Amino acid sequence: MRGAGGAGGRGRGVTRAKPKTGQNKTGPDKTGQDKAGQNMIRVEFDDNRLLPFLYGEHDQNLSRIEQELAVSLVPRGNVLAISGRPEAIAAASKALETLYDRARRGQIIDLGEVYAATRAASLAARKDNIEDASQEPGFESLVVRTRKRDIVARSARQAEYVRAMQEHGLVFALGPAGTGKTYLAVATAVSMLMNGEVDRIILSRPAVEAGEKLGFLPGDLREKVDPYLRPLYDALHDMMPGNIVIKRMADGDIEVAPLAFMRGRTLSNAFIILDEAQNTTAGQMKMFLTRMGESSRMVVTGDLSQVDLPPGIRSGLRDAADVLRGVEGVAFMNFTDADVVRHALVTQIVRAYDARDRARRQPGEADPQEPILPMPRGGKP
């Protein structure tokens, strides 16, 4: 595959441009077949300066699209030929349009963004509804701005999740690893702190061992619990410069603490996140939820397929989902393996484990991944 050339400046005043199918520089070129007899279309891009960012270093972004969608992409100047099955061509064209629009906005396009765009376009193609599936209101333009970077929703469900956090006082996000549940919650919290919508951020996790026996840990109390909270620190440092994180924590604007430290407190004017909530007991979950004070928001994230509680103890996350279903002001977001935006293998891993668990499940046994649905009107399930 021919390279796109070295990276160049994006320039100012770039006009909005979408890929054009069915034409090249010399005029109309109807969709037809390539030399191998496959269906083919040509897509033209208006701004050559954006192509190095769209194609990626050594065309790595194009290679990922080829791999994910089983198409052939051949660039010639500002024209890209797409060959393959009709539905694959349509998905590739849509993914390229989405990524090109992000390049036009000056947003970073990495392999994660490419994978998310191809996944969304592929799912839409299978529904025969490409335009509507990835163009839900606010999907492509929904950006969470933080001090260090702008976080862009990678799927319609992620965009819906961000809007839910902006509009509801309490949001539950349930689903497998890699769907952005915690990352987007931290990004939204940082954005609201920067905009003065909340006075502080409180991040919490239950300190439950995930199968390992850690034994005695040396150091003071903070050093003992920090290993449990490290993923939350990592997310914070992704959103804010390290010196700002340290200063904000010293000033009390950002607090990272284990769940046990929440007891007896009233948390007002705060954005509060409880991560790994599947490892809370019913009592701990009730304690946490009742900490909410005036002008606060809460987000509770967890994966009910990864409960590390002792046998016989019901997850507080499942209990809260059953109790609070239908309560006004509470939103539930259900992510699935189709929403995974990490490495492509993560999706396959999640699906493999889910298939194994379904095969092992006894007749009538509840599925821990069963979506939490809103309470029907009238209050009766």
Side-chain angles (χ1 to χ4, degrees):
M1 185 172 289
R2 186 169 296 180
R10 284 181 170 82
R12 297 182 180 179
V14 178
T15 58
R16 178 175 178 82
K18 291 187 177 181
K20 303 174 183 177
T21 60
Q23 38 177 301
N24 57 24
K25 292 182 179 180
T26 60
D29 180 29
K30 296 183 182 297
T31 301
Q33 294 185 333
D34 62 11
K35 293 180 180 180
Q38 286 188 309
N39 294 289
M40 181 188 69
I41 66 169
R42 289 183 174 87
V43 179
E44 179 181 350
F45 301 97
D46 289 350
D47 192 340
N48 286 348
R49 294 172 296 178
L50 300 180
L51 297 187
F53 304 99
L54 175 63
Y55 293 175
E57 186 176 0
H58 304 302
D59 289 348
Q60 64 177 1
N61 294 347
L62 298 185
S63 297
R64 173 55 64 89
I65 294 173
E66 288 182 321
Q67 177 184 352
E68 295 295 331
L69 299 178
V71 294
S72 173
L73 304 178
V74 180
R76 293 288 186 269
N78 70 327
V79 177
L80 186 66
I82 309 175
S83 303
R85 293 176 292 106
E87 62 272 23
I89 290 176
S93 178
K94 188 61 191 176
L96 286 163
E97 179 181 330
T98 299
L99 295 169
Y100 182 74
D101 196 51
R102 290 184 175 181
R104 184 189 61 80
R105 291 192 178 100
Q107 297 166 356
I108 295 173
I109 300 177
D110 56 21
L111 288 177
E113 297 289 348
V114 174
Y115 177 64
T118 57
R119 284 292 303 279
S122 180
L123 289 171
R126 289 203 290 270
K127 296 175 182 176
D128 294 322
N129 192 13
I130 288 177
E131 288 299 323
D132 293 340
S134 61
Q135 295 284 353
E136 291 187 13
F139 167 66
E140 290 187 358
S141 60
L142 198 153
V143 179
V144 181
R145 304 193 183 282
T146 68
R147 287 290 297 271
K148 202 168 182 180
R149 60 183 300 186
D150 291 344
I151 311 300
V152 182
R154 291 182 171 181
S155 69
R157 201 181 303 268
Q158 283 196 349
E160 184 183 355
Y161 177 40
V162 172
R163 286 193 291 268
M165 289 188 285
Q166 295 169 343
E167 297 169 2
H168 293 79
L170 175 59
V171 177
F172 286 86
L174 301 92
T179 51
K181 304 184 301 294
T182 304
Y183 195 79
L184 286 174
V186 174
T188 303
V190 169
S191 179
M192 288 189 172
L193 180 66
M194 288 170 44
N195 294 333
E197 299 175 60
V198 295
D199 294 336
R200 55 181 173 159
I201 298 172
I202 299 173
L203 310 175
S204 186
R205 267 188 166 195
V208 175
E209 297 170 348
E212 306 90 350
K213 295 300 180 184
L214 301 180
F216 174 77
L217 293 174
D220 58 24
L221 185 59
R222 179 174 177 177
E223 291 172 327
K224 291 178 188 294
V225 299
D226 265 2
Y228 294 103
L229 306 174
R230 176 50 52 190
L232 299 176
Y233 286 112
D234 292 342
L236 276 174
H237 282 274
D238 226 19
M239 316 292 176
M240 307 173 74
N243 61 320
I244 300 297
V245 174
I246 294 172
K247 183 179 185 304
R248 289 280 198 170
M249 293 186 71
D251 294 341
D253 297 336
I254 299 176
E255 179 181 348
V256 183
L259 178 60
F261 287 18
M262 299 295 108
R263 191 174 298 277
R265 303 176 63 184
T266 300
L267 308 174
S268 302
N269 301 305
F271 196 111
I272 310 149
I273 300 172
L274 176 61
D275 191 32
E276 297 290 334
Q278 75 274 6
N279 289 326
T280 62
T281 64
Q284 288 174 327
M285 178 62 75
K286 180 181 178 182
M287 177 275 293
F288 174 79
L289 295 176
T290 54
R291 301 307 94 198
M292 182 186 289
E294 192 70 27
S295 301
S296 285
R297 297 173 184 267
M298 274 188 174
V299 177
V300 179
T301 70
D303 179 0
L304 288 169
S305 70
Q306 296 191 33
V307 177
D308 298 313
L309 294 170
I313 297 181
R314 191 176 192 229
S315 168
L317 180 57
R318 168 57 69 182
D319 188 68
D322 291 343
V323 171
L324 299 178
R325 186 166 63 102
V327 173
E328 186 176 356
V330 180
F332 286 92
M333 291 299 307
N334 296 288
F335 293 88
T336 69
D337 57 76
D339 302 305
V340 173
V341 293
R342 285 184 188 167
H343 193 287
L345 273 177
V346 175
T347 301
Q348 303 304 320
I349 292 169
V350 171
R351 287 177 176 171
Y353 274 97
D354 285 348
R356 192 275 310 273
D357 292 341
R358 282 194 298 269
R360 288 182 174 179
R361 197 171 300 127
Q362 298 297 322
E365 184 180 349
D367 181 357
Q369 291 286 57
E370 181 183 356
I372 307 300
L373 302 175
M375 180 77 74
R377 291 185 180 181
K380 295 181 180 180

